[in-house]
Each structure stands twice: as C-alpha cells, then as structure tokens.
Amino acid sequence: MNILSRKRIISVSGWILYAIIIFIAPIFLGDYLRHTMIMFLFYISFVVSYSILVGHAGMFSLGQQMFIGFGAYATAFLTTQYTNITNILITIPMAAIFGGFLAYLMSFILLKLPPRPFSMVTLAFNFFIRQFWNLDPLKFTGGALGIKPIYPPTIEIPGLLYIEIGRLGMYYQAAIMSILMLIFYHLLTTSRFGVAIRAIKENEILAENMGINIIWYKRRTWIICGALAAIAGNFYGYYLGVITPYVFLWYRNTYLLTMAYLGGITMIEGCILGPFIYVVLAEFMRVTEEFRIVIFSAILLITILFFPEGIGGKVKDIYKKIRSKGDL
Amino acid sequence: MDPSIFFQHLLNGVTLGSLYAFIAVGLTIIYGITRIINFAHGRFYMLGAYITYIFLQIIGLHYFIALPLTILTLFIIGYLFDVIVLRKIRERGYVVTTVITLCVGLIIGNLVKAIWGRIDLMMHTFLTKSVTIGPITTYAQRLFSIPVILVTFWILHYFLFNTKTGNAMRAYSQNQELCIAVGVDTNRILTFSIALSASLAGLGAAVIAPLFRIFPDVGGLPINKAYVIICMGGFGNVKGALLCAFIIGITESVLAGYFFPSYRDLFGFALAIIVFLIRPQGIFGTKVGFEW
Amino acid sequence: MSIDKNTKLIVIAVVILAVIGIGYWALRPKPIADDEEPIADDVEPIADDVGPTGAPIKIGMFVDTTGTAATQGLRMVSAARMALEIVNEEGGVLGRPLELIARDTASDALTAIAAMRRLVEVDRVHILNGPHWSSCCLPCLPVSDELGIPWINTASTHRKLGESGGVGGNRWFFHTKLIDYWFFSSYLDILVNEVGAKTFIGVFRNDDWGHQCRDIISDYLTQYGGELIEDVYFEPGETNYMPILTRIKDLKPDGIIPVGPTVDFVRQWSELGLSDDIPLFWRSFTFFEWRRLLGEEILEGIWGVDQYTAVIDTSENRAFVNEFYNRYGVYPTANDGLVYEGVHLMAQAIEEAGSTDPDAIHDALENIEFLSPLTGWTITFDEYHNGSGLIQIYNVQDGEPLMLYSTNTDEITLG
C-alpha cells in the first residue's frame, strides 16, 4: 500500500484533527464541560487497557477496574504516606509497576483457569481486594478511611524543570495520557505481539500448534493491561485528591463494560467512540436518572446483540460496503 | 468447646449451604444444557422472594399454599426467560451470553428496585418462631430447610435418572447432535430445564428468604458465590454443585464463627482457589455434558 | 446506492459536528443575567395569599439516586421536597419560591463532581446539599472552593470533614451531621458507668463509617474502663449475621455495639435467644422501622443513640413522620430528618442574608441560630462550620421507645 494512500491520509489527518480538538477544547469550554472532557479522557485510558485484554487477547476479565484502584493507591502511597513525591515522572512508572506486579501475582492463579472460571475469579478478586483493603490487616493500605490528601502532581527534572500541574494542567495531563495510551495501543496491536494474542483469541489450540506460547503471551498481556489501567488510576488519584477503598466497588463495572463494547472492542477508534457515546448519553440522561442503569444495560444488550463490533465496527462495515459497492 | 455453639454453627452452615445449593444447582443445570452461564440467575431468587411475600402477606395465603404457588410462578418466569432471552442467544459465544444475561439481570433488578426499592420488607411465616431442639435455639424455618433440601434433591435425582424428560436432559447435555438425530424435542427440553432451574431458585427463596429481609438486591451476594461454586464443582455437574455448595456454606459458617469472622467470604473462596489449582476443571468436572 | 462516498463522509462529518454543537449549546454555561431577577431590599414582599412569586431560589441536591445507596438517596430527596413544600406554603424565601434540583452521584466520585459542577455551572443553583458517601464528599471539597457556592452536607461522617469547613480551608463547606465521636463519648460513658456493661463486641460495616466508629469506640472504652473484646466486620449488603452472632453467643460479652447492620441483625439476635442475655447498643435508632418489620416484642431492651430519630416527641416531628410514612410507606431515618432540617436551615440563611449573593449567605450561615422544626434544638456552626446537634440515647421499655438521656455538642468536651 502506498504510504500516501487515501486511506492513510484520511486516517492520519483524522487523528491530527482529534488531537487538535482535544488540545484547544478547554479554551471554549466552561469548567463543567472541562470536567466532563476529563472524565471522557480518563475513560479512554481505561478502555484501552480493557480493549487489549478482552478485545484482542480474549481474556474476559470482569475485574479490570481494580487496577485503577491499585494505581491510585500507589500514587497515594508515594505522595503522602512515605515520602512526598508528586513528580509524575516517578509516580506514573511506580503506579505501573505496582499494578503490573499485582497483576503478576494474580496471574499465577488466573492463568491456570479455563475461560469461565477466569472471569468469575477476576470478579471475586475485585470483591476480596475491596474487603481486604478496608480491613487492612497488614496495616499498609491506609484503611477504610482512605488517604487524603493526594497532593497535586508536578513534573520535575532536577536542575532543569519544575512545573506544578494545576486544575487546567490536569486536563492536559489527561489528554496527553490518553493520546499516549492510544499510540501504545496502536503499536502493540499492530506488532507481532498483537498478532499473536489475536491468534490466541481466535483459536487457542491452533495457535499453540503454530508455536505460540500461550501462557507467555497471556501473562504479559495481563500484566501490561494491569499496568496500563494502573496508570489511568494514577491520574484518577491526582484528580480526586483523595482515595478510598470505594474505588474497588465492582458494580461500576457495568458502565465500563458498556463504554468498552459500545465503541467496538477490537478497534482503536472504539476506544474513543465508546467513552464519547457514554459521556454524551450520560449527560442527556439526567432526566431519567433513576433508570440510568436500566437504560445503559439495555443499550449494552442491544449493542452486543446487533453490533458485536460496536458502533465503530458498524460504521466501518457500512463504510466498507459503500466502498465495495462503489467499486462494482 | 461448647457443643450447642458448634451445632449452631453447623446449622448456620447448612442453611447457608442450602441457599447456595438452590441457586447453584439451577445455575449448573442451565450451563449443562445450554452452555450458558446465566448471570441473571440471582434475579430468579429475588423474584421468588418477592413473589412468596406477595402470596403470603399481601394475598394472605397459608405458607404451604404459597410455597408451591411460588414454585409454579418461577417455573413460568423461567419459561418466559428462555423464550424471550436465552433462545435467541444460544448459539453465541461465551462473552456475548455473559454480557447479555448480565444486562438482563440488571434490568430486572433495577426495575424491581424502581417499583419496590424504597421499602424494606420482612416475611413472617408460621415457621419464623423460635424453637428449642436439644442444645440449639433457632427458628423453625431454618430447620425446615433441611427436609426440603433432602426431599428436593432426592426428587431431582429420581427425575433425572428415571423419567423420560430427565434422561433426555442428561443425554442432551452430553451429546447434542445425537439427540437431535434421534428425534428428541430439543426446544422442549431446553425450555423445561431453564424453567426447572428457575423453580429451584424460587423454592430456595420460599424456604430461606423468610429468614432475611427482602430487598431488590437480595440474592446478590450468594449468587456471586454460586458462580465460584459451580466452577469448583465442575460445570454442569449437579452433584458437584450440591456438594460444593454445602462445603462452602459450612466451611464459611464454622471457620468464620470460630476464627476470623470478618473474613468469612474469604474462606470459601480460598477453598475454591485451592481446588482450581489442583484440578482446574472442578472436582467432578469433565469435558462433556452434565451428570448427576 | 449511487451516493458518492465522499458525500457520505461529508454527511457523517456534518452529523458529528451537529451532535457536538447541539450538546455544547445545551450544556453551555448560561450567563447570570438570563434567569435571575435580583430583588432589591426595599421592594414590598408579595402578599401571602398570592404565594411566592418571582424567579425561584434553587437548591441543588447531589445524592445517590442509583446504585447501592439509591434507597437512602431517593428518600433524602423526598424529605427535601417535603421541606420545600412547607417553606413555599409559608411564603417562600424572600418572597420567591424554592425549587429543588436533584442530580445523581451514582456512588462514584467522578460522577459526584460532575453532578456538583452541573448544578452550579449549568443549573445555576444558589445553594448545595449532599452527597451521602464520604468517598464522594471528600473529592468535592476542593471543587467547592472553585465553585464558590455555599454547600451544606447533612449525611457524611468521615472525620476529616469535621476539620474541613471554615478555618479548615474549605470556605463554603458546612456540615450538620455529627461525627461519631460526639455520640460515643457520652453513650459509652453511660453504658459503662451506669448500665454497667464492661465488655463489648462491636459489629461494624466494612467501610469508612464502620472502621471510624471502631477506632472511636475503642478509644473511649479504654478511657472509661470498658473493653472492646472483639471487632467484627461484615460486608455492606450482608444479611446473614448468624456466624457472627453465634460467635458472640459463645464469647458472652456484656453487650453488642452494632454499627450499620440491617434489621436482620435484630431478628437473628432474637432467634438465637440472645435478647435475654446480651443487650444491643445500636449506633442509630430506627425504632418505627424495626417495629414495622419485626413487631414490638423482639425489640424490648434495645438501646440506641442518634442525632435525629423518628421517635422524637415534638408535635412538628410527629407530623413530619406521619406525613413521610403516609407518602412513602417507610419511616424517616436520621439522614432524612437532617435533610429536612437542612432545607429549612438554608431557607432561613437566605432570608437572613437578604439576597442570593453567595457571600451574604455564607456569612448568614456562619452566624445563624437555627431552631430546628423537628427537634427543638438550635443549631449554630463552629469555626470549622460544624453544626451543633443533639445526642439522644434511647431504650425500648415495655414496647415504647424512651429517651433516657439527652445531651448536645455544646455540653460535651471531647477528650
């Protein structure tokens, strides 16, 4: 394919347009919409990790959001309890390492399980992490009262740079984080690693026969996705300024599932489209708030029945049909 | 060690195990027949609780009339559930069925919450009175669950092995194509199994829900355990589900009662993890079908 | 189909831009001049028989109306609406009607912040109430500094909230729900020294409220010469307390302090025959609800402590409780009563401020002396914007809830 093919030009310019919109948006938006945009960008970061895990590797986890909690707590530990480190150049990698390490520990049980118990056990882990974090028998989690405050993030390169990230700065932090996540997503899914995990999802036995070491890939995917979600959690901790074990409440999973599947679980555009549709819907749904869960469940149901590839997938399908009809 | 305390813990465990059993056995039957894990199953229990309440306290029937009526109503609900939901998604993959049953469960649960959510309800049957038997003082309702469990699962066993439909169910779960080839009416079997599972949950609710407050999320915590239980016992294996339900129920109650009461849920789960590490397909798990 | 594919792309792009545009237009921050008619102080108040007129004064409420705490949240909104009706019947505030806008926090911190911001920046409310969970309340504190609107919380119990308002740094934050050290400081003193119970087992909900209470109880018991021999935690939503209660039956403490269990706890306590031997010392007292669900005999001898209960015996409270029950089929809990009071308190503050200017309302709140219509107690705020309140200790005797002791935050010095 020609490097300057129409498809690639449209794709790249679409992304550049997206980045521009994201970066200039705060100028036009009031504080309320800025907060909504930050939620949107945060959800993108989470959906990226979920999309890799479920959409590409087929590891249907029902507890992925606990890593947000891990990342937020790692950040809290660094900024309040032990030393006062607010430098995101340190806290982000530390959050990723913390999340990745806990993922590594969990993988010893999880990877032994067939797919259905795998999902149940991730759900159970989420439940027990919450219980354990509240009870805090080993006295390191900060307990049920949580950790407050988490001081605002900074960027520090000793001798060169010192920036304190204020409220507006956090918007750009979220924006950059989400864009880096999307870039990582693209690189990972188009690499050999990505091809291998999709092969595993398609047909595990065949993949094994072709020489792909299933456990090796699954473990790394699980750890990477845990680390990614923990990075999102790092931002979450900074943005709220406080973290409590409520972050581990599992039922919120429905909304996260919805936004992951709405956009399209296997495509990068889906990572943006899903949270976008979710946030827009949530805004307009203020009128019937009591039925919010019902409506979102219904939406998820319809999506998964009729648009298994998400709305993004449907749009792509339509686009392909148009193109092929045009060729005839 | 005080024997009356020990027997009380044991009885608590049996009650808890019964609760898990009524839910888990239905769940595992549905899996065995349709290969679907029904994430809406907890709602059958919840509906059973509310329906029993309606028959008992709003309409005012006697408990022993309300009980079979509840079973019947849940049978119909299970039937409807299959026709409206499960039939459409039987051929789909694991993720799709999980998400769909999850959503349907949420929709049902939240609709009930919207209608009835603001008011807590408490059921009183003629059995929710204290009796003293030997060293234990407890509600008669709690003791009532023991004979019900024994009778129900004896009947279930008999049904699965000695009736045409039961045998057909077992055969179907082991080899679908052969059953179709032989001319078994698969739709009838499928729908019947699901209705049966729903009735089991409803029976469980009628027997055990009177011991607790009724609210829209009732059955929420036990159903989470039930998922782990059916994995532990082996998917589709009724004997496994039954056994593991009681193992977990009794372990939880006794160990938590004596040692770390705050970590009650952890004991059962730790046990399940140990089983998974040794034998990932579950205690009685096999690759094929469901069995007694 | 013969539509050119470029046209299709353009159409899709236009649709997306249109959606964004419509969304922005619907949600844009509205300029103040649009919906407010500032009333000068020397304008004649409108006659009562006409009812309050003019641009409504808006109260923004952000609580859980979905999720696990939806039941309480919805009840709190109901209680607020009842209060609103009464205020409007009596002429409104500054001659203007009160209006309530409720938004959902979904037990999620991000959604809580969004709800709070939306209430202030889009709905343009003049004063805020909420949320319920401390996990939603704490992240909203820095946001309130940005928003600059007075905010009265009547439901959260985290101890940091007691140090946050006023001189604690969050200027706009006011807090009327008493933090649990107020309750236990006198409650445990009475239980140990007058009732004579020395050893206790605490049964706590496994969340911030439960753990905080456990620490407070443990400290005070040590001070008063009692002992917390064990603390047991249960998961929120749990209804099966049998293992815990059986263990308690084995350990035979002088009393049980339940913090947060459901009414099932009382029933199972009675089922095991503990009602004669091991009394219950609740941290709350929802007697009418218990009686509605369980009947009176089981409740004999139970103790409770709270800031507001439905059994408070003033004519206004009885009227409120009856009306609440007639409308909603349940009896109001402490949070419902506090919200009801809160709305009246806000109304009085705005009256005294003479306008809806946030600074004026803030100053009015800081200096307010608010006589609660339900409890007869006069609420004032300290320098941390914590509202004073009652601590009332009850005991069920002969099927009746008796208030045996009553004290208040002014009388107690926390040790």
Side-chain angles (χ1 to χ4, degrees):
Chain A
M1 190 179 7
N2 191 346
I3 200 106
L4 284 176
S5 73
R6 162 185 255 131
K7 179 174 173 185
R8 192 163 275 202
I9 290 179
I10 294 181
S11 175
V12 171
S13 46
W15 284 111
I16 294 180
L17 186 63
Y18 168 76
I20 294 176
I21 294 179
I22 296 287
F23 276 95
I24 64 175
I27 304 176
F28 302 106
L29 304 175
D31 286 342
Y32 169 65
L33 281 178
R34 194 181 70 212
H35 168 75
T36 311
M37 288 290 295
I38 290 180
M39 289 205 316
F40 165 63
L41 296 167
F42 167 73
Y43 290 141
I44 292 180
S45 312
F46 175 77
V47 173
V48 161
S49 79
Y50 192 83
S51 177
I52 297 175
L53 189 65
V54 181
H56 287 268
M59 300 167 74
F60 188 52
S61 161
L62 288 171
Q64 184 68 353
Q65 68 277 11
M66 64 180 151
F67 289 103
I68 296 182
F70 292 145
Y73 264 100
T75 314
F77 293 149
L78 284 171
T79 59
T80 59
Q81 234 168 292
Y82 301 120
T83 54
N84 197 351
I85 303 177
T86 55
N87 186 359
I88 58 173
L89 296 175
I90 299 182
T91 60
I92 290 183
M94 294 302 288
I97 292 174
F98 187 62
F101 177 66
L102 288 170
Y104 176 66
L105 292 178
M106 285 185 218
S107 70
F108 286 110
I109 299 178
L110 285 173
L111 293 181
K112 288 216 165 56
L113 302 172
R116 288 172 175 83
F118 177 84
S119 307
M120 312 300 184
V121 174
T122 55
L123 190 62
F125 270 146
N126 202 349
F127 179 82
F128 286 109
I129 294 285
R130 185 191 162 273
Q131 195 176 54
F132 178 81
W133 224 264
N134 267 309
L135 289 171
D136 198 11
L138 304 174
K139 296 277 174 272
F140 73 93
T141 70
L145 287 175
I147 299 180
K148 175 179 164 51
I150 301 178
Y151 293 113
T154 57
I155 306 178
E156 303 170 35
I157 303 176
L160 285 178
L161 196 62
Y162 182 85
I163 306 175
E164 278 179 13
I165 302 180
R167 303 301 288 179
L168 182 62
M170 287 228 203
Y171 176 88
Y172 287 107
Q173 184 185 352
I176 296 174
M177 173 179 74
S178 69
I179 288 181
L180 289 176
M181 291 265 186
L182 289 166
I183 294 176
F184 180 85
Y185 181 96
H186 177 77
L187 292 174
L188 185 72
T189 55
T190 52
S191 70
R192 279 189 70 181
F193 191 91
V195 173
I197 60 179
R198 277 196 298 280
I200 294 175
K201 178 190 178 194
E202 283 302 312
N203 191 331
E204 204 165 300
I205 300 172
L206 183 57
E208 197 160 18
N209 288 336
M210 283 173 57
I212 297 178
N213 184 343
I214 310 269
I215 297 281
W216 193 91
Y217 278 98
K218 279 193 168 174
R219 186 171 309 228
R220 269 149 192 74
T221 312
W222 175 251
I223 293 176
I224 290 173
C225 293
L228 285 177
I231 294 176
N234 164 284
F235 174 79
Y236 187 79
Y238 280 131
Y239 189 59
L240 290 186
V242 58
I243 193 68
T244 63
Y246 278 96
V247 74
F248 294 115
L249 269 184
W250 92 269
Y251 77 93
R252 271 193 288 146
N253 187 62
T254 329
Y255 298 133
L256 298 171
L257 266 183
T258 312
M259 62 176 98
Y261 282 100
L262 258 184
I265 196 91
T266 55
M267 35 192 274
I268 193 170
E269 296 87 348
C271 296
I272 300 179
L273 203 54
F276 177 73
I277 299 176
Y278 171 80
V279 166
V280 166
L281 280 176
E283 287 303 306
F284 285 116
M285 208 173 289
R286 300 290 170 176
V287 207
T288 47
E289 268 174 12
E290 276 175 48
F291 292 99
R292 180 203 286 237
I293 297 185
V294 175
I295 294 177
F296 273 114
S297 306
I299 291 173
L300 181 57
L301 205 139
I302 295 172
T303 307
I304 240 196
L305 268 180
F306 300 114
F307 308 104
E309 295 296 310
I311 306 251
K314 198 71 178 178
V315 169
K316 261 196 182 164
D317 270 351
I318 297 178
Y319 183 71
K320 276 196 194 127
K321 280 194 191 128
I322 299 168
R323 288 212 75 192
S324 66
K325 284 222 168 102
D327 286 346
L328 282 168
Chain B
M1 192 171 75
D2 188 350
S4 73
I5 297 287
F6 176 73
F7 282 120
Q8 185 67 55
H9 281 311
L10 206 56
L11 182 61
N12 298 338
V14 167
T15 309
L16 201 55
S18 318
L19 174 61
Y20 295 152
F22 279 118
I23 298 179
V25 169
L27 204 58
T28 213
I29 290 179
I30 293 186
Y31 178 84
I33 297 279
T34 62
R35 298 286 180 276
I36 295 176
I37 298 190
N38 181 17
F39 273 83
H41 203 77
R43 306 302 175 185
F44 291 144
Y45 180 86
M46 180 264 287
L47 288 171
Y50 274 99
I51 288 169
T52 312
Y53 181 83
I54 293 176
F55 283 134
L56 198 59
Q57 296 193 213
I58 297 187
I59 301 183
L61 302 168
H62 188 270
Y63 181 62
F64 283 139
I65 302 181
L67 205 149
L69 277 180
T70 306
I71 299 177
L72 191 62
T73 317
L74 259 299
F75 191 87
I76 298 173
I77 292 180
Y79 173 84
L80 289 172
F81 182 71
D82 179 53
V83 169
I84 300 177
V85 179
L86 285 186
R87 238 182 235 190
K88 310 244 164 44
I89 59 172
R90 266 183 216 151
E91 306 307 313
R92 306 291 210 106
Y94 162 56
V95 170
V96 174
T97 57
T98 301
V99 173
I100 290 187
T101 51
L102 190 68
C103 288
V104 172
L106 281 168
I107 291 175
I108 296 176
N110 281 284
L111 284 178
V112 171
K113 193 185 272 194
I115 302 172
W116 251 327
R118 297 185 206 205
I119 309 180
D120 286 343
L121 303 168
M122 202 69 140
M123 261 203 281
H124 303 269
T125 71
F126 74 100
L127 288 171
T128 51
K129 292 192 180 26
S130 274
V131 295
T132 309
I133 296 194
I136 314 176
T137 309
T138 185
Y139 277 171
Q141 184 84 27
R142 199 176 291 276
L143 299 168
F144 179 57
S145 67
I146 300 178
V148 171
I149 282 265
L150 292 171
V151 169
T152 306
F153 289 106
W154 188 87
I155 294 179
L156 187 65
H157 177 98
Y158 183 85
F159 170 77
L160 285 175
F161 281 85
N162 295 62
T163 67
K164 206 166 92 175
T165 319
N167 281 322
M169 276 168 66
R170 288 191 306 124
Y172 183 84
S173 78
Q174 284 168 13
N175 194 329
Q176 284 185 20
E177 291 90 6
L178 197 52
C179 277
I180 298 174
V182 166
V184 174
D185 184 352
T186 52
N187 260 336
R188 224 193 73 211
I189 292 185
L190 283 158
T191 312
F192 181 82
S193 324
I194 290 150
L196 176 69
S197 306
S199 324
L200 275 174
L203 173 60
V207 172
I208 297 188
L211 289 170
F212 303 110
R213 188 175 112 260
I214 301 177
F215 57 105
D217 284 323
V218 75
L221 287 175
I223 188 73
N224 285 327
K225 301 257 173 67
Y227 298 130
V228 176
I229 287 173
I230 63 170
C231 299
M232 188 177 154
F235 281 107
N237 193 299
V238 175
K239 187 169 52 182
L242 201 53
L243 188 66
C244 290
F246 279 102
I247 291 177
I248 295 214
I250 293 177
T251 312
E252 275 184 9
S253 296
V254 173
L255 287 184
Y258 278 117
F259 299 114
F260 296 107
S262 308
Y263 294 91
R264 199 185 94 212
D265 304 304
L266 197 58
F267 289 121
F269 182 61
L271 206 59
I273 294 284
I274 295 174
V275 169
F276 288 142
L277 288 175
I278 302 174
R279 206 181 141 88
Q281 69 265 38
I283 297 182
F284 294 107
T286 57
K287 298 276 190 310
V288 146
F290 87 49
E291 307 153 7
W292 175 254
Chain C
M1 204 174 328
S2 58
I3 302 179
D4 181 50
K5 59 187 170 231
N6 287 329
T7 315
K8 271 274 176 178
L9 278 174
I10 294 173
V11 168
I12 293 175
V14 167
V15 167
I16 292 179
L17 284 172
V19 168
I20 295 178
I22 293 173
Y24 179 76
W25 179 82
L27 299 171
R28 75 190 185 289
K30 299 184 179 68
I32 297 184
D34 266 1
D35 61 357
E36 230 176 79
E37 302 165 16
I39 298 181
D41 286 51
D42 55 329
V43 169
E44 280 288 336
I46 298 171
D48 277 26
D49 52 353
V50 175
T53 59
I57 295 184
K58 300 187 223 178
I59 298 180
M61 216 170 145
F62 59 114
V63 286
D64 283 3
T65 54
T66 63
T68 43
T71 329
Q72 288 124 298
L74 289 168
R75 274 213 312 263
M76 282 160 67
V77 175
S78 310
R81 287 199 196 282
M82 277 176 67
L84 211 87
E85 280 172 24
I86 298 205
V87 170
N88 283 338
E89 270 170 34
E90 293 170 2
V93 176
L94 301 175
R96 296 158 64 175
L98 272 186
E99 183 185 313
L100 181 75
I101 303 179
R103 298 226 171 270
D104 182 28
T105 54
S107 308
D108 174 41
L110 286 178
T111 317
I113 296 177
M116 194 191 195
R117 281 192 182 275
R118 191 180 171 112
L119 284 170
V120 175
E121 296 178 41
V122 179
D123 300 315
R124 292 279 160 197
V125 300
H126 301 105
I127 193 164
L128 288 164
N129 177 266
H132 181 191
W133 296 122
S134 302
S135 65
C136 296
C137 188
L138 292 169
C140 287
L141 287 172
V143 180
S144 80
D145 296 335
E146 272 180 60
L147 296 175
I149 298 283
W151 169 27
I152 302 185
N153 176 288
T154 58
S156 310
T157 56
H158 197 285
R159 59 190 321 157
K160 284 243 157 78
L161 297 175
E163 303 149 18
S164 296
V167 301
N170 297 108
R171 174 164 201 258
W172 303 99
F173 177 70
F174 292 81
H175 190 223
T176 62
K177 181 153 175 119
L178 294 182
I179 300 181
D180 291 273
Y181 35 70
W182 293 111
F183 297 114
F184 290 113
S185 123
S186 37
Y187 194 38
L188 294 174
D189 190 6
I190 289 170
L191 293 179
V192 172
N193 295 319
E194 293 194 30
V195 176
K198 296 283 185 269
T199 58
F200 298 86
I201 293 186
V203 180
F204 305 103
R205 199 164 64 202
N206 194 16
D207 63 8
D208 55 299
W209 183 45
H211 282 266
Q212 187 172 280
C213 284
R214 183 248 163 234
D215 292 334
I216 293 171
I217 290 174
S218 174
D219 288 338
Y220 278 116
L221 277 181
T222 324
Q223 250 185 345
Y224 295 136
E227 194 193 339
L228 186 67
I229 58 179
E230 189 155 306
D231 45 346
V232 179
Y233 298 92
F234 61 91
E235 287 301 298
E238 183 64 73
T239 53
N240 179 23
Y241 305 101
M242 292 301 281
I244 296 175
L245 282 164
T246 313
R247 182 180 175 78
I248 290 177
K249 187 172 181 177
D250 198 14
L251 293 174
K252 300 190 190 23
D254 293 332
I256 307 173
I257 305 180
V259 177
T262 59
V263 68
D264 303 278
F265 191 84
V266 178
R267 195 195 218 193
Q268 289 159 24
W269 167 80
S270 160
E271 175 182 345
L272 285 176
L274 296 175
S275 36
D276 298 321
D277 306 314
I278 308 179
L280 289 181
F281 304 119
W282 277 82
R283 159 62 193 99
S284 78
F285 193 68
T286 49
F287 176 77
F288 288 140
E289 269 298 291
W290 289 338
R291 189 176 64 183
R292 179 176 75 83
L293 292 170
L294 298 175
E296 275 155 12
E297 308 96 66
I298 294 185
L299 304 177
E300 191 64 26
I302 296 184
W303 291 77
V305 64
D306 215 333
Q307 175 180 5
Y308 167 84
T309 67
V311 308
I312 291 179
D313 200 16
T314 64
S315 55
E316 293 89 353
N317 194 39
R318 283 197 301 274
F320 166 64
V321 170
N322 285 330
E323 180 65 24
F324 195 91
Y325 181 69
N326 289 334
R327 287 199 203 189
Y328 306 117
V330 283
Y331 292 97
T333 61
N335 285 341
D336 305 323
L338 288 172
V339 168
Y340 184 87
E341 275 183 353
V343 170
H344 282 104
L345 190 150
M346 292 180 196
Q348 182 176 325
I350 300 177
E351 260 322 320
E352 289 176 6
S355 78
T356 56
D357 171 49
D359 288 295
I361 302 178
H362 168 271
D363 294 338
L365 280 170
E366 281 194 331
N367 299 313
I368 201 170
E369 286 178 11
F370 169 72
L371 179 64
S372 162
L374 299 179
T375 62
W377 169 253
T378 305
I379 297 180
T380 55
F381 289 103
D382 67 8
E383 73 266 19
Y384 286 96
H385 291 177
N386 292 317
S388 59
L390 289 168
I391 295 111
Q392 299 184 305
I393 300 175
Y394 295 85
N395 183 230
V396 181
Q397 294 178 5
D398 298 322
E400 290 299 318
L402 294 184
M403 185 183 77
L404 294 185
Y405 303 93
S406 174
T407 180
N408 56 71
T409 52
D410 292 337
E411 283 175 18
I412 301 177
T413 349
L414 291 174

